[in-house]
């Protein structure tokens, strides 16, 4: 059951072992690789080594080598939480993923 404080419009699903994120960074700066935590049609959860500000626009490339899938997306940062020497970052896609794109990252 979802946390009552969770305000996402769509449920996030854990990604499969082949899903990764080749880079993530604001449109003007590269933050290097990031760990993808979860993804939905509308947004994504990332683990970054550097803090980003809420409202920052990130350009990132999602990849899944097993599925031969790669997609570059824009993400608006909605929340940032310090965690275990890194930062949990949640954001909303500028353009939602299609169902087919989502399934290539989670199944």
């Amino acid at each position: 059951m979802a946390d009552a404080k969770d305000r996402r419009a769509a449920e996030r699903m854990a990604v499969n072992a082949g899903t990764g994120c080749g880079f993530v960074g604001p449109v003007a700066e590269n933050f290097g690789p990031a760990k993808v935590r979860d993804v939905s049609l509308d947004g994504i959860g990332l683990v970054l080594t550097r803090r980003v500000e809420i409202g920052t626009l990130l350009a990132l490339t999602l990849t899944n080598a097993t599925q031969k899938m790669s997609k570059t997306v824009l993400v608006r940062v909605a929340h940032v939480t310090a965690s275990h020497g890194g930062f949990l970052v949640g954001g909303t896609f500028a353009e939602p993923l299609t169902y087919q794109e989502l399934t290539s990252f989670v199944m």
Side-chain angles (χ1 to χ4, degrees):
M1 181 169 205
D3 184 340
K5 295 185 289 184
D6 191 349
R7 297 180 301 237
R8 295 185 191 117
E11 179 182 356
R12 297 243 179 105
M13 296 174 250
V15 296
N16 62 33
T19 299
C21 184
F23 83 93
V24 63
V27 174
E29 182 180 357
N30 186 347
F31 279 87
K35 182 175 183 339
V36 180
R37 186 168 177 197
D38 52 34
V39 66
S40 72
L41 291 170
D42 299 323
I44 191 165
L46 302 168
V47 179
L48 302 178
T49 58
R50 292 175 49 189
R51 180 174 178 73
V52 294
E53 296 301 318
I54 293 172
T56 300
L57 185 62
L58 303 174
L60 59 101
T61 300
L62 294 171
T63 60
N64 184 314
T66 306
Q67 299 287 331
K68 296 184 172 106
M69 175 67 174
S70 177
K71 178 159 178 88
T72 300
V73 295
L74 294 176
V75 174
R76 179 77 59 193
V77 174
H79 66 83
V80 179
T81 305
S83 176
H84 305 291
F87 297 90
L88 301 176
V89 176
T92 305
F93 294 128
E95 295 281 330
L97 296 179
T98 66
Y99 181 76
Q100 182 178 10
E101 290 166 339
L102 175 65
T103 59
S104 70
F105 296 121
V106 301
M107 295 184 170

